[in-house]
Amino acid sequence: MTSSLDGLLGFPVTPFRKTGELDLPRFETHLAEMLEAKPAALFVACGTGEFASLTLTEHRELLRVAVANVDGAVPVLAGAGGGTQVALEFTRSAEKAGADGVLVLPPYLQVGPPEGLVEHYRQIAAATGLGVIAYQRATAVFTPESVCELAEIDGVVGLKDGHGDVELLQRIHTVTGGRLLMLNGMPTAETFAKAFRAIGVRAYSSATLSFAPAIARAFHDAFERGDDDMQQALLREFYVPLTQLRHTTNGYAVALVKAGLDIQGRSAGPVRPPLRDVSPEHRAELARIIERGHAVLDAGPAK
C-alpha cells in the first residue's frame, strides 16, 4: 500500500442531502469523477470528507461504498480520529469495511506531550492489521525523537504533515533516515509542493482534485516533469488566490471544495455544522478563480 502513495492523493468530500443524511449515490458518482484524474490513492472520510461530523455508522457506509466502487483500482484509506478509544472504534470499523489503511487525524482538544501521541498511535497500530499514517497538525505536533519512536512501531507506515514547519520536517527526515513515508498534507498542498520536495517529500494531498481534477492533474504533471512555467501560472492564477480566499473564513478548507463542485453543476450538498457554506460573494470569487485556472490549461504551455 505504501508503495502506491507516491503521487497525487485524492480526498473525496462526503455528499449530504439538503435534509442532512448521506447521499450515497452522489458519493459513487463523485468517486468515479475523481478516479478519472488517476490519483495514487483515495482517502475517504478524512478532513475534506468531514470526518468530525460523521457517525460511526455513516463512516462505515462511506467506506463500504468506496471499497466496492473503487474495486481495487487504487488503495482506499479511511479517516479516523478523536481520543484513543474512539479512534480505535473507527479504525476497526474501517478494517472490517475493507479499507487498505487508515489516516489517524489529531485527537482535537486533547493536547498531550509527544510521548502521549506516540502511545496513542501505538495502541491504534496494535489493534489493526491496516497500515497507520500519523497526522501532524494542530494538537498533534511531534518532535524528531518521537517520530523516531513512531517509526519503530509495527504498523505505523507514514507521517502526513499539515503543520508546515519545514525546518522541523527536515530534522524529522534526517533522524528517521527515510524509515517512514512522509506526505505533504498542507491545506492547498500545491503551494508547498516545491518546498516539501526539497526535503524529499513528493507525494501530496490535493483538495483541488475533489472539485477541479483537471487543474489538480495538470499541476501535478507539471510538478513531476519540472515544468516551472506551468506550475507558476497555476499558482498565480488559481492556487494562491484560492489560498487567500480560504484564509478569509474558518472552515473554508472544506466549504470551498463543496462550493466548487456546486458551481460546476456537480453539487455534493451542504457542509455540516459547525462548518458553514460559502457566502455569495465568496462563491462568486471562487467561480472566477476556477475559470482562471481552466484558462491556464486552455492556453497550454508557454511559448
Side-chain angles (χ1 to χ4, degrees):
M1 185 268 294
T2 55
S3 63
S4 300
L5 303 182
D6 184 22
L8 183 62
L9 309 177
F11 284 69
V13 300
T14 296
F16 299 119
R17 301 184 188 277
K18 290 182 179 179
T19 49
E21 68 269 20
L22 293 181
D23 187 344
L24 293 177
R26 177 66 187 102
F27 185 54
E28 293 181 355
T29 304
H30 180 52
L31 292 170
E33 293 165 351
M34 294 189 70
L35 285 173
E36 289 178 2
K38 302 188 184 307
L42 291 177
F43 288 70
V44 174
C46 294
T48 304
E50 299 181 69
F51 168 81
S53 74
L54 298 174
T55 67
L56 183 60
T57 299
E58 290 173 331
H59 182 269
R60 185 181 301 118
E61 279 294 284
L62 289 168
L63 265 296
R64 179 189 61 78
V65 170
V67 169
N69 280 265
V70 173
D71 194 24
V74 297
V76 173
L77 292 90
T84 303
Q85 298 307 310
V86 172
L88 285 168
E89 288 187 39
F90 279 90
T91 298
R92 291 176 178 130
S93 178
E95 185 169 17
K96 289 180 181 178
D100 297 297
V102 62
L103 173 66
V104 181
L105 282 65
Y108 295 108
L109 298 182
Q110 294 180 305
V111 183
E115 57 266 31
L117 290 172
V118 171
E119 182 59 27
H120 174 71
Y121 283 99
R122 190 189 309 279
Q123 291 189 27
I124 294 168
T128 181
L130 299 178
V132 173
I133 299 175
Y135 195 174
Q136 174 164 265
R137 183 172 179 174
T139 55
V141 178
F142 297 89
T143 63
E145 294 75 21
S146 60
V147 179
C148 280
E149 290 187 61
L150 280 179
E152 296 298 324
I153 298 172
D154 289 340
V156 176
V157 299
L159 176 68
K160 180 184 178 187
D161 181 74
H163 181 53
D165 184 335
V166 175
E167 179 189 355
L168 175 60
L169 281 179
Q170 179 64 74
R171 293 167 57 205
I172 288 171
H173 190 269
T174 298
V175 300
T176 57
R179 286 177 292 162
L180 276 183
L181 174 70
M182 295 180 68
L183 306 174
N184 170 3
M186 295 298 295
T188 320
E190 287 87 348
T191 62
F192 286 84
K194 282 189 175 183
F196 276 56
R197 180 174 60 187
I199 55 175
V201 181
R202 298 189 65 88
Y204 61 82
S205 59
S206 175
T208 299
L209 188 69
S210 294
F211 72 97
I215 294 173
R217 171 48 63 188
F219 184 91
H220 186 267
D221 288 350
F223 174 70
E224 286 295 307
R225 67 175 181 266
D227 184 345
D228 287 336
D229 289 340
M230 177 58 78
Q231 289 177 75
Q232 287 303 315
L234 286 171
L235 286 168
R236 181 181 63 250
E237 299 298 328
F238 179 81
Y239 284 106
V240 170
L242 179 66
T243 300
Q244 291 170 335
L245 182 57
R246 175 173 56 78
H247 281 309
T248 65
T249 307
N250 288 336
Y252 265 16
V254 177
L256 287 174
V257 175
K258 281 196 164 177
L261 282 165
D262 189 55
I263 286 167
Q264 297 172 95
R266 295 182 282 125
S267 177
V271 294
R272 278 181 172 174
L275 304 181
R276 298 290 293 171
D277 290 322
V278 173
S279 69
E281 59 271 25
H282 287 158
R283 179 186 169 95
E285 185 176 348
L286 177 61
R288 290 190 291 271
I289 292 170
I290 294 171
E291 183 178 356
R292 287 164 56 185
H294 284 120
V296 171
L297 305 191
D298 293 340
K303 303 297 184 182

